[in-house]
Amino acid sequence: MSTSRLATLATLGLLLMTAVWGSTFVMIKDVIARMPVADFLAVRFAVAAVAMLALFPRHVWRLGRVGIMRGLVLGAIYGAGQLLQTWGLALISPSVSGFTTGMYVVFTPILAALLFRQHVRARVWGATLLATLGLGLLSLHGFSVGAGVWLTLASAVMYALHIVVLGRWARSDDAFGLSAMQMVAIALVCGLATVSHGGPMLPPDSAAWLAVLYMALIAGAGAMLLQTWAQSHLPATRAAIVMTTEPVFAAAFAVAFGTDVLGWRMLVGGGLVLAAMYLVELAPRRKTVTALPAEAVHHEV
C-alpha cells in the first residue's frame, strides 16, 4: 500500500478514535458522580490492560526488552496526564478543562522541535493557531487562571509529550504489543493514586460497569491501538491537530443526545478546528498528488 494511502487511513483512524472519545463525555459525567475519579480511571485502565495482555501476549513478547520499556514509559506519561487532568477538573469547569487540555496542540510542535529538532512548517503553526481559536470558541465561557488551570496545563504538556514520543517510537508492526504495555503502565499509575484510600472502589452497579467496560475496551484499549498504529504513519504535529476534533465530536454528541443546544460558537469553533485539519492534512495532500512523489507525504511536517 502506498505511503499516501496509509497516511489517509491513519488520519481516518485518528478521527474514529476522537469520535469515540467524544462519545464518552456523557457516560463519564454519570459514572464519576457515583465513584471517585481516580478509582474510575484505575478500574477502567486495569480492565483495558488485562484485555490487551490476554489478546496479544505474543505481540508483547516480540517487543523485546527495549520495546516493553518504551511502552511502559509512554503509558506512564499518558497516565500522569490523566491524573493531572482529573485533579485539575476538580477545581475548574469542564469547559475550561476541555480548552486547557486541548492546548497540547500548541505544545506538540514546540516539543517536537525542542526534543527531536523537527522542523515545523509555517502551515502547521497556522493550523495550530486556528485549532486553538476553535477550541476556545467551543469550550470557553469565561476563564480565570488558578491551580486547576495550571494542573490541566501540565496534563496538556504530558499529552503533547506522549504524542511526540509515540510518533518517534511507534511502528505499525509493534502497535498491538506497544498499546498493551501502555495500558499496563496507565493502570499502574492510576492505581497508585488510589492507594491513599485503600485501593480502587469498584463501579457501584451494572450501568456503571457497562460504561466502564465501553470506556476500557473501546475508548481505552481500542483507541490506544488506533493511535499507536496511526502515529506510525503520521508526523506528531499533524496527529495532534487531527486529534483536536475531539471537542467537535463531543459537541455533536451533546446536541444529538439533547444535553446541549447548537449555537454559533459550536458552528464557528468546530469550523475552525476542521479548517486546521484541512490545512495540514487535505490541502497539502491534494497538492502532493500533482507536484510531489507519494513518498514525500509522510515526511512533510
Side-chain angles (χ1 to χ4, degrees):
M1 188 178 293
S2 68
T3 303
S4 59
R5 183 164 294 183
L6 281 172
T8 300
L9 287 175
T11 299
L12 292 174
L14 286 180
L15 286 172
L16 176 60
M17 178 193 74
T18 54
V20 170
W21 283 349
S23 73
T24 64
F25 279 73
V26 175
M27 284 184 286
I28 290 175
K29 184 177 180 181
D30 177 67
V31 174
I32 63 176
R34 292 181 286 148
M35 64 184 294
V37 175
D39 299 55
F40 156 71
L41 291 174
V43 174
R44 171 188 174 183
F45 287 110
V47 170
V50 169
M52 292 289 279
L53 290 175
L55 289 172
F56 308 116
R58 293 182 180 178
H59 295 81
V60 172
W61 180 258
R62 286 204 298 264
L63 285 176
R65 183 178 300 176
V66 172
I68 288 173
M69 287 305 300
R70 285 179 171 180
L72 292 174
V73 168
L74 285 165
I77 293 170
Y78 192 92
Q82 286 276 307
L83 288 173
L84 287 166
Q85 182 185 10
T86 301
W87 290 331
L89 183 59
L91 303 173
I92 57 179
S93 69
S95 61
V96 173
S97 175
F99 169 75
T100 310
T101 303
M103 291 301 291
Y104 65 74
V105 73
V106 175
F107 295 130
T108 298
I110 294 173
L111 289 176
L114 290 176
L115 295 178
F116 301 120
R117 300 180 183 275
Q118 186 174 334
H119 174 66
V120 181
R121 295 178 181 271
R123 183 182 66 246
V124 175
W125 287 116
T128 298
L129 177 61
L130 280 178
T132 303
L133 291 173
L135 287 169
L137 282 174
L138 281 167
S139 305
L140 293 183
H141 300 273
F143 188 87
S144 61
V145 178
V149 170
W150 289 114
L151 285 168
T152 311
L153 205 60
S155 79
V157 174
M158 299 306 289
Y159 290 140
L161 181 61
H162 178 264
I163 292 169
V164 170
V165 179
L166 180 60
R168 195 75 171 185
W169 287 347
R171 301 289 181 271
S172 57
D173 293 341
D174 296 336
F176 291 104
L178 199 62
S179 299
M181 293 314 302
Q182 288 182 81
M183 288 294 113
V184 170
I186 297 168
L188 290 173
V189 169
C190 293
L192 286 174
T194 70
V195 170
S196 61
H197 55 266
M201 163 189 167
L202 295 177
D205 52 50
S206 59
W209 266 114
L210 285 174
V212 167
L213 288 173
Y214 173 79
M215 287 179 279
L217 301 178
I218 307 301
M224 182 62 73
L225 178 58
L226 266 178
Q227 183 183 358
T228 301
W229 177 83
Q231 283 204 242
S232 68
H233 300 291
L234 284 178
T237 48
R238 277 163 54 181
I241 290 169
V242 174
M243 289 162 65
T244 57
T245 54
E246 180 186 355
V248 179
F249 285 115
F253 279 111
V255 171
F257 288 124
T259 59
D260 211 337
V261 179
L262 183 65
W264 73 268
R265 293 174 67 96
M266 259 185 217
L267 290 171
V268 177
L272 287 172
V273 171
L274 294 177
M277 192 185 72
Y278 177 84
L279 193 60
V280 296
E281 279 299 310
L282 302 179
R285 197 164 297 156
R286 289 179 65 184
K287 293 179 183 178
T288 298
V289 171
T290 57
L292 294 174
E295 289 77 13
V297 176
H298 175 67
H299 299 288
E300 183 182 333
V301 181

